[in-house]
Amino acid sequence: MAEIRELRDVYGRRYRVGESDRELLGRPRTWITWLAAAAMLAAGVQQYGFGAIVPALSRAHGWTFGGIALSFAVWAICQAGVAFPAAWLRDRGVFPAPAAMAAGAVLCAAGLVTLGHASSLLTVFLGYSVLGGLGTGLVYATCIGAVLAWFPDRGGSRAGVVSGAFAFGSVPFVVLAAALPEARAVLLDVSAALVLVVIAGCGAVLRYPPRHWWPATPEPRAWALDRAHNRRPAVRHYRPAELLRCATTRALYLVVVLAAAVVLFDLAYLATFVAERSGPGLAGAAVALLAAATGSGRVLVGRLADRLGRHRILRFALVAGGLAQFALFSLGEHRHAVGLLLGIALAGLGNGCCYTLLVGLVREYFGEESVAQNFGILYSAKAVGAGVGTGLAALVVASHGFAGAFAVAGVLSLAAGVLSGRLTQPGRPESLLPAA
């Protein structure tokens, strides 16, 4: 084994060199990508699969649509809210990755079983919303944190693959749920068993490297100066307490709130909107396409962000996602199936990529020292967005129908796009900022 050393670059970042991934893992670090992606494939069923079974839940139990949408909002609040505490505990050695993944596996399975057998909304809130949400959040935070730790040289592209898997994994479930609506309980039970095995199995071998670990290549100080891969390095490293006092944090948090509100609105309401106008078959196809487009967008954005700039891509994506909301309602209302599906694809590609870009923006704006915890703080904006997206939509649907709700969603996304154009890298004078 080579001598273990710690280096610093001109930006003050630290690098631990001298240990290879094979020495630490016994295999290439690419294994971490596939382990994390497999676990996220399983965990994502609870988010993207929920929209596909909303009509069936309403028919089977007579529950109000507002109550079902609220249970999804609470799930999203729990899922996003646990990201920072999980990272904080993990960084202190209290809650290591295998333990977090094991707990997440059990809780995710409990959430799916609850959806299959609950006879009251209270049970759904406790089993799916709270337990399932916390479990999914543990898996999400642990997997994203793992790829950031093992791929400090290209975390954006790897995070895109893992985050995309979170959306892709629900596609088979959505297709089967639409094709076999009467087998919902059996489908959810089988899914719960698969989710438990996959997440627990991946978690048993998922490990984090030593703090500040860096691979054998590229040479870290040369990489730090390479504008092709490191376009806008952070001026300094922000701890979570410093992050909370930063004006850029407040602006970026609001952008994520607005983007999340639109994403979660689509997930909660799209299937019901399409089913009422074109039947359950097209509704299932709509949700499956939304998940697939979101997953594809995250992978694509993860690869392009370093080259084209995350700031520019984020602004473009949010504007495109906002315009897609107006297209969704108009085409769906006129039962234009092909146009509707194209609009759904644009919505998934647009609004769905926000979280992948957030990973890179946190590193670019606030540095590497506390990247997992800082990401957890900003990711918690999804919890606020859940309340805004589903709560505001419920009020607007009740008073102005789906036309008003989709219009509000479109305006929120466009507002996020405009606000994202005002984001600046903290600590760097504007005269020194490169073009976005």
Side-chain angles (χ1 to χ4, degrees):
M1 179 185 291
E3 177 188 1
I4 299 173
R5 297 176 297 146
E6 187 173 278
L7 307 176
R8 285 183 181 268
D9 65 20
V10 294
Y11 304 107
R13 288 181 293 203
R14 291 185 286 178
Y15 307 91
R16 177 180 170 128
V17 299
E19 302 158 297
S20 72
D21 49 353
R22 291 181 180 273
E23 290 169 339
L24 294 170
L25 284 172
R27 53 181 62 90
R29 59 179 173 153
T30 304
W31 272 72
I32 295 297
T33 302
W34 303 126
L35 285 172
M40 292 279 265
L41 280 167
V45 172
Q46 286 195 81
Q47 174 165 307
Y48 292 89
F50 183 83
I53 64 172
V54 167
L57 289 174
S58 181
R59 290 194 305 269
H61 304 289
W63 297 336
T64 64
F65 181 72
I68 297 172
L70 180 60
S71 72
F72 181 63
V74 174
W75 178 92
I77 290 169
C78 293
Q79 186 262 334
V82 79
F84 171 72
W88 188 86
L89 291 171
R90 185 179 62 247
D91 286 349
R92 283 154 180 76
V94 178
F95 200 26
M101 294 289 281
V106 173
L107 293 174
C108 285
L112 291 171
V113 171
T114 300
L115 285 178
H117 298 278
S119 57
S120 70
L121 266 176
L122 177 60
T123 304
V124 172
F125 275 99
L126 294 176
Y128 166 72
S129 304
V130 177
L131 298 183
L134 291 174
T136 309
L138 286 174
V139 176
Y140 193 103
T142 304
C143 291
I144 291 292
V147 295
L148 290 179
W150 281 107
F151 293 89
D153 53 327
R154 41 198 168 107
S157 61
R158 295 293 170 157
V161 171
V162 173
S163 180
F166 188 69
F168 275 130
S170 63
V171 173
F173 175 88
V174 171
V175 172
L176 289 173
L180 304 169
E182 303 305 319
R184 175 175 53 88
V186 174
L187 179 60
L188 285 164
D189 287 346
V190 172
S191 298
L194 291 173
V195 164
L196 177 64
V197 171
V198 171
I199 296 177
C202 293
V205 293
L206 188 70
R207 295 291 184 273
Y208 276 59
R211 191 168 177 80
H212 305 303
W213 177 82
W214 189 266
T217 57
E219 200 282 326
R221 289 173 293 195
W223 173 86
L225 298 173
D226 185 354
R227 294 295 183 181
H229 303 288
N230 203 18
R231 299 180 77 247
R232 298 203 297 179
V235 174
R236 68 181 183 87
H237 306 289
Y238 287 73
R239 296 288 188 178
E242 297 173 309
L243 179 91
L244 294 173
R245 297 193 294 267
C246 182
T248 298
T249 301
R250 294 189 287 273
L252 184 55
Y253 196 92
L254 181 55
V255 168
V256 179
V257 167
L258 297 175
V262 178
V263 172
L264 296 170
F265 162 75
D266 285 342
L267 286 171
Y269 286 80
L270 182 62
T272 299
F273 168 71
V274 176
E276 288 181 358
R277 284 149 181 81
S278 302
L282 188 61
V287 177
L289 179 60
L290 181 65
T294 299
S296 301
R298 292 180 180 186
V299 175
L300 178 63
V301 161
R303 294 185 177 277
L304 293 179
D306 289 337
R307 300 179 184 178
L308 303 179
R310 296 174 185 86
H311 194 169
R312 178 185 291 120
I313 293 178
L314 178 63
R315 185 166 62 244
F316 174 79
L318 291 172
V319 170
L323 295 175
Q325 301 304 311
F326 296 99
L328 282 178
F329 173 76
S330 177
L331 294 167
E333 193 72 11
H334 292 88
R335 295 174 172 80
H336 193 300
V338 176
L340 174 66
L341 294 176
L342 290 174
I344 290 168
L346 181 60
L349 290 168
N351 300 109
C353 72
C354 176
Y355 304 125
T356 297
L357 292 169
L358 180 62
V359 173
L361 285 171
V362 168
R363 299 180 91 159
E364 186 176 294
Y365 286 174
F366 307 110
E368 310 280 342
E369 194 68 28
S370 304
V371 63
Q373 293 182 46
N374 289 343
F375 173 76
I377 290 173
L378 285 159
Y379 186 71
S380 70
K382 178 180 177 180
V384 181
V388 173
T390 56
L392 183 60
L395 294 175
V396 176
V397 168
S399 58
H400 296 88
F402 278 109
F406 277 103
V408 169
V411 169
L412 291 180
S413 188
L414 292 174
V418 172
L419 180 60
S420 70
R422 303 181 63 84
L423 294 173
T424 57
Q425 193 177 40
R428 192 183 297 274
E430 291 192 15
S431 60
L432 297 179
L433 287 172

